[in-house]
Amino acid sequence: MPSLVLVGGFYGDEGKGKIVSYLAKKDNCTIAVRGGVGPNAGHSIVWQGKTYGLRMLPSAFVNPKTRLMIGPGVLVNPEIFLKEVTELGAERRSSLDPLCAIIEQKHIDLDRGSEHLSGKIGTTGTGTGPCNVDRVNRIVKLARDVPELNGYLADIPVAVNLALEKGENVLVEGTQGTFLSLFHGSYPYVTSKDVTASSIAADVGLGPTNVDDVLVTFKAYVTRVGAGFLKDELSAEETSKRGWAEFGTVTKRQRRAAPFDYDLARRAVMLNGATQIAITKLDVVFPDAKGVNTYKNLPAEAKDFIKRIEDEVSVPVTIIGTGPSVEEVVDRRDEI
Ligand code: GTP
Ligand code: IMP
Ligand code: MG
């Protein structure tokens, strides 16, 4: 902080939403702003016993004082945006940039109707790829052209940079994961733009010299939805046996799973310029870690695992998830 960019270190679904919501409360962020591709993302947040699935708004809504923004780089589906604003009762604190590109039904139809996209690549079918194609062709509709969005438009880069000038904390929320990046991922099994920290910062109008921290989030094992290589992939049976079975927030597809990949993590740290690491789902691999809030109370094997990650990637693990709830976190930032 004051400005922290949070990104996924593997193939998305690392639990970024839960970490963002924790940080928004803990660090009293005045702004949480989404970068990334668009509503192909699905963040699950468990807050006060209720589970929320967000695809457009930042997961920081759990802090009522945090303003929720969407940067110009992000693709917006107006229907999903307006639904989430209403569901969260966040009308007065939600905004998006007039330059956000708009996903239309034709983009969704093209995505779902394409054997290459929905068949071979296994896209989420949310229209993001075809919408980015129209954006690059400079024919896409923008948020400023949609009357229903009129009351929500704001110059997001100005809001973000002004808040930082005033010394406020700003959280920049990335989506997808490093190896789904169009540039750095396992092409062609990737999403439709770069999603590493530099691009996420650019999505919201934050220049590289104005980024203070880059927090790369890894899950305690690796998951992947859709097609593409996954090192040491487990069978669906073994995945369930280990208790690692997960289902997508957006597509409901079962996520493929593999053990933690230290080489991939080291590369993600390099590509994103990570200053800190968050590890989620430690409780799933080490059940005795469930709900623990202090590092010293974690089981010995869990501490060995964290230590090995730090040794292999040479960046401190500052935040650890010990359960799906926003409060189930070990925060080591004061100790490191
Ligand atoms: P994308 O932007 O789509 O990549 O999503 P994401 O990174 O926000 O992750 P997503 O919410 O899709 O998946 C993570 C899942 O793990 C959710 O169901 C979370 O509730 C859950 N989760 C997050 N952190 C923890 C944790 O520390 N322990 C446990 N048990 N579950 C967690
Ligand atoms: P698209 O982004 O919908 O075009 O999908 C391209 C690839 O990225 C597919 O393998 C999707 O499953 C994957 N993908 C896109 N967004 C996410 C996400 O938020 N979490 C996990 N996988 C994603
Ligand atoms: Mg997800």
Side-chain angles (χ1 to χ4, degrees):
M1 289 290 172
S3 72
L4 182 143
V5 177
L6 184 143
V7 295
F10 289 142
Y11 300 99
D13 304 323
E14 296 89 353
K16 297 179 287 294
K18 178 249 171 83
I19 302 294
V20 164
S21 40
Y22 169 77
L23 290 174
K25 279 190 79 65
K26 179 75 185 172
D27 296 352
N28 235 326
C29 300
T30 57
I31 291 179
V33 54
R34 259 220 36 198
V37 183
N40 49 350
H43 295 304
S44 297
I45 303 106
V46 182
W47 171 237
Q48 293 177 335
K50 198 174 160 201
T51 303
Y52 297 84
L54 292 185
R55 296 169 55 189
M56 292 273 26
L57 283 179
S59 314
F61 73 91
V62 299
N63 182 342
K65 294 199 187 115
T66 306
R67 286 189 289 155
L68 310 174
M69 301 186 174
I70 301 178
V74 178
L75 309 176
V76 169
N77 180 323
E79 206 182 305
I80 299 173
F81 170 80
L82 294 167
K83 184 164 162 273
E84 290 182 3
V85 168
T86 308
E87 270 173 16
L88 296 180
E91 287 82 357
R92 271 182 292 167
R93 58 179 176 125
S94 301
S95 45
L96 77 168
D97 197 273
L99 295 176
C100 289
I102 297 298
I103 298 174
E104 298 182 77
Q105 190 58 43
K106 63 180 177 187
H107 300 128
I108 297 171
D109 293 344
L110 277 170
D111 199 354
R112 293 186 184 166
S114 158
E115 178 44 37
H116 175 69
L117 292 175
S118 71
K120 183 179 170 195
I121 308 296
T123 64
T124 58
T126 51
T128 48
C131 184
N132 267 331
V133 168
D134 277 0
R135 190 173 210 178
V136 171
N137 281 334
R138 281 143 292 179
I139 53 170
V140 86
K141 191 191 263 190
L142 298 180
R144 67 182 181 207
D145 306 320
V146 181
E148 300 79 54
L149 296 177
N150 217 292
Y152 296 101
L153 301 182
D155 188 329
I156 301 301
V158 165
V160 164
N161 286 283
L162 209 59
L164 290 174
E165 264 173 44
K166 287 195 269 177
E168 297 172 3
N169 287 343
V170 173
L171 199 50
V172 184
E173 177 177 338
T175 56
Q176 287 74 46
T178 300
F179 299 102
L180 288 178
S181 159
L182 181 64
F183 298 166
H184 302 290
S186 50
Y187 192 92
Y189 302 102
V190 293
T191 190
S192 53
K193 66 187 249 195
D194 178 41
V195 287
T196 59
S198 312
S199 291
I200 299 295
D203 283 340
V204 307
L206 194 59
T209 53
N210 293 325
V211 174
D212 296 295
D213 263 304
V214 175
L215 179 71
V216 176
T217 304
F218 298 108
K219 205 179 316 202
Y221 46 95
V222 186
T223 60
R224 180 162 201 178
V225 266
F229 178 67
L230 178 60
K231 190 174 151 225
D232 298 329
E233 180 170 356
L234 303 173
S235 65
E237 194 189 16
E238 178 62 20
T239 303
S240 301
K241 207 168 112 198
R242 294 190 187 198
W244 296 2
E246 295 180 11
F247 295 87
T249 317
V250 177
T251 58
K252 314 290 178 225
R253 289 180 290 185
Q254 176 156 3
R255 295 175 180 160
R256 301 153 60 202
F260 193 89
D261 185 336
Y262 295 91
D263 295 329
L264 210 57
R266 201 176 305 112
R267 191 169 175 84
V269 160
M270 174 188 80
L271 291 170
N272 290 292
T275 59
Q276 300 178 36
I277 288 173
I279 301 292
T280 62
K281 295 214 161 186
L282 194 69
D283 55 301
V284 176
V285 177
F286 305 100
D288 288 344
K290 170 75 182 160
V292 171
N293 288 117
T294 48
Y295 189 74
K296 68 173 173 26
N297 289 343
L298 287 174
E301 320 84 76
K303 282 192 268 199
D304 290 345
F305 173 61
I306 299 291
K307 175 89 177 37
R308 175 159 178 214
I309 294 171
E310 291 183 321
D311 289 345
E312 297 247 6
V313 307
S314 307
V315 172
V317 174
T318 54
I319 312 271
I320 300 167
T322 58
S325 262
V326 174
E327 303 84 2
E328 291 177 303
V329 157
V330 174
D331 187 343
R332 303 170 76 203
R333 288 177 297 169
D334 288 341
E335 301 162 28
I336 287 167

